[in-house]
Amino acid sequence: MPAHVPNAGLNRRDLLKRAGGLAAIAAFAASCGGNTGRPSTGGGGGGAKVNLSQWYHQYGENGTKEAALKYAKAYTDAGVAVEWTPGDYASKLASGLLSNKGPDIFESQLNLSMVKSNQVVALDDILADVKDDFSPADLATNTVDGKVYGIRMIVDPQVIYYRKSLLDKAGIKPPETIDDLIAAAKGLTTDKVKGIFVGNDGGLALGAPALWSSGGDRLTTDHKAGFANERAAKAFGKLHELYASKSVLLGAPTDWTDPGALVQGLVAMQWIGMWALPGLQKALGDDLGVIPFPKLDAEGKQAVYSGGWTQFVNAKSANVDAAKKFVKWLWIDQQEFQEDWCLNYGFHIPPRKSLAAKAAKLQSGVAAETVRLTGEFGHTDDPAWTPKMNTAFNDMLTNIIRKGSDPAGEISKAEKTVNDELSRLFG
């Protein structure tokens, strides 16, 4: 499910990153209230059921809010009020977690600062019986110092979908390297159609995939910047080459998180999440193919960004045990609801391996291929990657991609910020 849609131009990756840095945003009073999944049942004393608040950002797909309310209403051991937040969810959540007016349960992406600031509680106890049913990557993105702090709700792979007929007509094979991608984008560009759409910002969403395709990563295992090398510089330089080729769509009516550019025939290829697949299939039928982000060269490797959302329990909740019980009920015990959430409002890979294996909608065609590519080439976020690091990384990409700045010089500036942040976090 795209992480936006109050505003079609909102960059999904930016929201994901901002949501990860909750401890870094200054506190202010968060508003409460919201939509109630079931009638209020009163306070926690005298044997009465406790009331829990559960916060979501506003999903774009029709039916998602109603589904969240349905799940909350079905729970009988506590009252669960669903807070559905359009707009700047990240800032509201950050302020809520820094105050005493925040949610009991919330969705986000784990950031090391959240753990160090004691904003989230470990959930190893409720995961114990099913831990092996989650992929190592989905566990790793929510793990700090051996403890798991969140339960993955959905997996959102980001890939390149393309129009088979347009590539066939131009005599172009699906790209396998970044040079192939640049050549294909040029060859597919006409006076009416651009070769590719990677976002109205020119392709910042491709920064991490390009780095992965070079064989690198944003952070090393010994807590250093992992992109300060010649191969990373080469990969980022290729993103500028793609941008400067005049084959990239800019100024689209909706941003890359929305399938409109590909559906409307504005482009032949588009970087986008699997959440858009039902709409793409409905509009394009069998004229749809998928590839991962191409490898940099023969020494590189194709890449898929395996994003998603995770459920957490607020450490400041007055009802931590009750909140954990609800999270276990919904995201571990209620497999029917988990499958509904992942497959009936856009397409997403269920984090539970057992559910993904039997999900009929993901067993054939482009959906099955996207799942396969994610399993083979997927990358998740490192909890140590903070919003400040991400801002420096995106500033670097902006200067390289759009302005044509020297990659080595821009990398050096971003590297300093990242290493300073790592020193702060790890000492």
Side-chain angles (χ1 to χ4, degrees):
M1 302 171 184
H4 78 311
V5 188
N7 179 332
L10 183 61
N11 183 301
R12 182 174 189 272
R13 177 180 289 274
D14 285 349
L15 179 52
L16 294 179
K17 294 306 172 191
R18 290 172 64 196
L22 307 174
I25 304 176
F28 60 88
S31 61
C32 290
N35 302 296
T36 303
R38 65 191 304 279
S40 175
T41 53
K49 295 177 183 178
V50 302
N51 287 320
L52 301 172
S53 61
Q54 182 185 28
W55 286 13
Y56 292 85
H57 79 286
Q58 178 176 315
Y59 286 85
E61 293 84 354
N62 292 332
T64 48
K65 179 179 178 180
E66 290 76 14
L69 292 170
K70 177 180 70 175
Y71 308 153
K73 187 175 182 179
Y75 189 62
T76 58
D77 287 350
V80 181
V82 171
E83 179 84 6
W84 196 258
T85 303
D88 192 354
Y89 173 75
S91 293
K92 179 177 180 179
L93 179 57
S95 64
L97 293 181
L98 290 169
S99 73
N100 293 318
K101 298 181 179 180
D104 298 289
I105 305 137
F106 64 95
E107 62 172 10
S108 185
Q109 291 76 37
L110 185 64
N111 181 277
L112 182 58
S113 296
M114 295 162 67
V115 177
K116 287 184 173 292
S117 300
N118 296 316
Q119 293 181 328
V120 289
V121 298
L123 302 178
D124 299 88
D125 53 344
I126 66 174
L127 268 170
D129 292 340
V130 296
K131 191 171 182 179
D132 290 344
D133 200 25
F134 288 83
S135 74
D138 287 332
L139 291 172
T141 197
N142 289 310
T143 299
V144 173
D145 293 334
K147 294 182 179 180
V148 183
Y149 286 88
I151 298 178
R152 192 87 143 174
M153 303 155 58
I154 53 174
V155 176
D156 275 342
Q158 296 170 22
V159 290
I160 296 173
Y161 290 112
Y162 64 90
R163 295 282 300 273
K164 292 180 180 178
S165 61
L166 294 182
L167 270 69
D168 289 344
K169 183 179 180 180
I172 294 173
K173 295 181 179 181
E176 296 183 2
T177 67
I178 300 183
D179 282 336
D180 291 343
L181 182 66
I182 295 169
K186 289 179 180 178
L188 291 164
T189 296
T190 69
D191 58 347
K192 296 181 179 179
V193 178
K194 287 289 188 180
I196 191 168
F197 184 44
V198 293
N200 285 323
D201 58 16
L204 297 192
L206 301 183
L211 175 59
W212 295 325
S213 82
S214 74
D217 209 340
R218 289 175 291 190
L219 298 174
T220 64
T221 55
D222 60 347
H223 309 309
K224 299 292 183 184
F227 53 89
N229 56 69
E230 291 183 1
R231 287 186 59 77
K234 180 180 179 182
F236 299 148
K238 290 295 181 183
L239 295 182
H240 169 69
E241 189 176 335
L242 176 65
Y243 174 81
S245 69
K246 300 188 183 301
S247 58
V248 174
L249 175 66
L250 298 172
T254 56
D255 213 344
W256 66 272
T257 55
D258 185 278
L262 195 58
V263 168
Q264 295 169 24
L266 302 178
V267 291
M269 302 181 289
Q270 181 173 341
W271 175 262
I272 193 171
M274 187 184 182
W275 58 79
L277 191 49
L280 288 170
Q281 289 179 319
K282 182 178 180 180
L284 304 177
D286 293 334
D287 189 24
L288 186 67
V290 59
I291 58 171
F293 188 83
K295 57 188 178 183
L296 175 60
D297 49 32
E299 299 176 7
K301 189 174 183 179
Q302 296 163 304
V304 173
Y305 176 67
S306 184
W309 289 89
T310 294
Q311 194 95 149
F312 299 94
V313 171
N314 184 359
K316 288 187 177 181
S317 169
N319 298 291
V320 167
D321 288 342
K324 289 171 65 176
K325 185 178 179 181
F326 172 72
V327 169
K328 180 180 184 298
W329 175 85
L330 179 53
W331 298 112
I332 294 178
D333 300 337
Q334 302 303 309
Q335 295 189 21
E336 179 181 352
F337 288 163
Q338 294 160 34
E339 187 171 358
D340 177 65
W341 188 244
C342 288
L343 297 168
N344 289 337
Y345 316 98
F347 279 180
H348 322 272
I349 303 175
R352 299 280 295 276
K353 291 183 287 185
S354 59
L355 290 180
K358 67 179 183 179
K361 294 179 180 180
L362 304 182
Q363 301 305 311
S364 62
V366 178
E369 180 64 4
T370 304
V371 173
R372 184 189 72 79
L373 293 173
T374 305
E376 188 170 353
F377 304 115
H379 292 262
T380 55
D381 290 316
D382 188 323
W385 186 253
T386 70
K388 189 172 183 178
M389 296 178 194
N390 200 64
T391 296
F393 191 77
N394 280 344
D395 288 345
M396 172 195 73
L397 291 172
T398 297
N399 290 335
I400 294 172
I401 296 172
R402 297 180 66 96
K403 299 179 182 179
S405 300
D406 174 53
E410 295 300 325
I411 285 173
S412 180
K413 289 187 288 186
E415 178 190 19
K416 183 180 185 307
T417 298
V418 169
N419 284 338
D420 286 348
E421 273 283 272
L422 290 168
S423 294
R424 178 183 66 83
L425 290 170
F426 295 100

